[in-house]
Amino acid sequence: MEISNNVLAGLFNECLDTGTVPTTWLTTILIGILKAKKPAEDAESYQLVGLESCLLKVGWTSLATYEWAETEKVFPESENGFRRGCRTHNNPFILQCTIEKAWHEGKKLYVVFVNLKNMFPATDLPTLWVKLFNAGISGPLFD
């Protein structure tokens, strides 16, 4: 599939102008791949792989500078890795505040922790491609 640079630029500019992106760009498909010689019934036996939109990654990395993005308030308030004065270590504090708020309001809070540490070095790539295909992900870049 070929998309001209002008069409891509127009698409990314539209996203920046409207402050929105297609919902499918924000979806991550997670697949667990059983590690070699590990018991299938143990959750720690699986290597987690996330498949994300290439267009979203290209769009973010093609921003001229993070300074411009910060000035224009392109990054959402939830983004801690690229905003001035914010770091990823802000997340535990935010989580603690969220837990306390839910507890004080008597609401349930569901939290998921995904450990992505060292996931690619040991990944069996042929198995990954089969899992992705079985999950319905295929096309010219995968076939």
Side-chain angles (χ1 to χ4, degrees), residues 6 26 46 54 57 59-60 66 69 78 83 88 109 119-120:
N6 289 337
L26 303 174
Y46 290 84
C54 293
K57 289 182 180 184
W60 281 117
Y66 289 116
S78 59
R83 289 179 43 234
T88 55
L109 176 67
M119 76 175 167
F120 291 109

Side-chain angles (χ1 to χ4, degrees), residues 2 11 13-14 16 18 47 57 59 61 71 74-75 81 89 104-105 120 136:
E2 287 188 31
L11 176 60
N13 284 330
E14 179 72 20
L16 290 172
T18 63
Q47 195 70 42
K57 289 182 180 184
T61 56
T71 302
V74 172
F75 296 122
H89 64 268
H104 286 292
E105 293 178 357
F120 291 109

Side-chain angles (χ1 to χ4, degrees), residues 2-14:
E2 287 188 31
I3 301 175
S4 75
N5 289 341
N6 289 337
V7 171
L8 281 176
L11 176 60
F12 292 134
N13 284 330
E14 179 72 20

Side-chain angles (χ1 to χ4, degrees), residues 51-116:
L51 180 66
E52 297 179 329
S53 169
C54 293
L55 288 175
L56 183 65
K57 289 182 180 184
V58 168
W60 281 117
T61 56
S62 58
L63 289 173
T65 65
Y66 289 116
E67 183 70 34
W68 172 85
E70 182 67 21
T71 302
E72 295 295 319
K73 302 202 181 313
V74 172
F75 296 122
E77 289 297 316
S78 59
E79 174 58 62
N80 289 321
F82 298 108
R83 289 179 43 234
R84 183 183 313 280
C86 296
R87 302 293 177 264
T88 55
H89 64 268
N90 292 7
N91 292 332
F93 173 73
I94 294 168
L95 176 60
Q96 179 64 36
C97 292
T98 305
I99 291 169
E100 290 176 8
K101 181 178 179 185
W103 184 77
H104 286 292
E105 293 178 357
K107 295 181 178 178
K108 289 183 179 180
L109 176 67
Y110 299 93
V111 179
V112 175
F113 295 94
V114 180
N115 182 359
L116 302 177

